[in-house]
Amino acid sequence: MLTTHALVLAIMLFCLGLVGLLSRRNILYMLLSLEIMLNAASLAFIAGGSRWGQADGEIMFLFILTLAAAEVSVALGIVLQLSYRFQTLDADAFNEMKG
Amino acid sequence: MEVLFYIAAAVTLVATVRVITHVHAVHALLYLVVALIALALIFYLLGAQFAAALEIIIYGGAIMVLFIFVVMLLGPLAVEQEKSWLTPGTWVGPSVLALVLLGEVGYLIAAGDHLPIDFMETREKGLSIALYGPYVIGVELASMLLLPGLIGAYHLGRRVSKESR
């Protein structure tokens, strides 16, 4: 079945994004990994909608797209602020709150 | 038609692995654009044509342009860095992957009008009716999400330009 393999592909993409998020320390790559994980989630929704022949999967894809657009615009503003204030993009350098 | 799916899936996985293992941000963004276009082809093969078009226009177009703007804003480009970007080694990989996708699309066009999955009646009408019927609260929530996103991005972006003056 095509949709089953699409779900397997979504799982693999999500794991790749998770590995990238956990292994990279550059905050820009962490954002890219977040995008990959969001894409994997939307692929899972599209596969589900295609399996049952319903439009709900595409509607959830539209919502994920909206979420990704809002998230990217705000997060890239934060990246600009961080690179201006700290002169680096290393996520481990942003430890002023001793987190 | 399943072969097309597997080729596009392989292209997506290869491009995604290159994204998370690459050192240069612009190269990673190139590979991510290729991965998004391959994913759009997979959406098309799964019967979601509208989602495929949105994936290319919004993800591959708008969001990636935002990323590239920020990468360009983060540091001034040195001349030798740009020279190294123009060597063939940097763009051969994404070009080959994109050519594979172009071949698949060419095959789809040449194969004619028949579509890959049998329940291929257009779902766009049902999508619109469902979006403004049972899911209208989601549309309202999306608008409530986008307005704070707009204000937050404006605020965060404006402070940089004021303080650097």
Side-chain angles (χ1 to χ4, degrees):
Chain A
M1 281 300 287
L2 208 58
T3 50
T4 312
H5 295 161
L7 279 182
V8 173
L9 176 67
I11 292 170
M12 293 166 77
L13 279 180
F14 192 88
C15 291
L16 276 177
L18 193 61
V19 166
L21 182 68
L22 294 177
S23 62
R24 300 300 295 258
R25 286 295 96 190
N26 190 326
I27 200 164
L28 202 66
Y29 285 94
M30 294 168 77
L31 271 181
L32 288 182
S33 304
L34 275 182
E35 291 303 309
I36 294 169
M37 289 161 72
L38 280 175
N39 267 299
S42 50
L43 175 61
F45 273 114
I46 293 280
S50 169
R51 170 69 178 83
W52 301 109
Q54 299 289 324
D56 302 70
E58 289 185 62
I59 288 174
M60 291 311 292
F61 171 75
L62 287 181
F63 290 154
I64 290 176
L65 204 63
T66 314
L67 173 76
E71 173 243 338
V72 159
S73 58
V74 174
L76 287 178
I78 294 174
V79 167
L80 279 181
Q81 283 283 335
L82 288 176
S83 77
Y84 175 67
R85 288 166 193 265
F86 291 87
Q87 307 295 331
T88 179
L89 285 180
D90 186 6
D92 289 335
F94 311 135
N95 56 358
E96 277 199 345
M97 293 178 73
K98 310 293 179 194
Chain B
M1 285 295 180
E2 297 210 346
V3 179
L4 293 179
F5 172 82
Y6 293 125
I7 294 173
V11 169
T12 310
L13 284 177
V14 169
T16 307
V17 168
R18 293 300 289 151
V19 168
I20 65 172
T21 57
H22 223 294
V23 183
H24 293 286
V26 176
H27 302 173
L29 283 171
L30 271 181
Y31 277 109
L32 187 57
V33 169
V34 173
L36 291 176
I37 295 173
L39 210 56
L41 186 57
I42 290 175
F43 286 174
Y44 178 80
L45 291 176
L46 285 174
Q49 297 98 337
F50 186 55
L54 281 184
E55 176 89 8
I56 287 185
I57 293 171
I58 296 182
Y59 256 116
I63 295 181
M64 286 305 112
V65 164
L66 267 182
F67 267 104
I68 288 172
F69 271 154
V70 168
V71 169
M72 296 295 172
L73 278 177
L74 286 181
L77 291 178
V79 176
E80 58 270 18
Q81 194 182 4
E82 282 201 331
K83 272 183 188 164
S84 77
W85 284 355
L86 293 177
T87 55
T90 63
W91 48 264
V92 147
S95 306
V96 167
L97 292 179
L99 277 179
V100 170
L101 292 177
L102 182 65
E104 286 196 33
V105 171
Y107 173 75
L108 272 176
I109 293 173
D113 207 7
H114 70 90
L115 286 164
I117 300 177
D118 44 359
F119 48 83
M120 283 306 286
E121 77 275 13
T122 57
R123 295 205 298 264
E124 275 66 41
K125 188 178 173 186
L127 191 148
S128 316
I129 291 173
L131 192 60
Y132 286 98
Y135 284 98
V136 70
I137 186 70
V139 178
E140 296 294 333
L141 284 176
S143 66
M144 286 172 64
L145 175 69
L146 281 175
L147 183 62
L150 171 70
I151 296 173
Y154 177 69
H155 178 69
L156 288 170
R158 201 182 53 146
R159 290 250 302 270
V160 168
S161 60
K162 202 197 307 184
E163 289 179 7
S164 62
R165 215 176 275 159

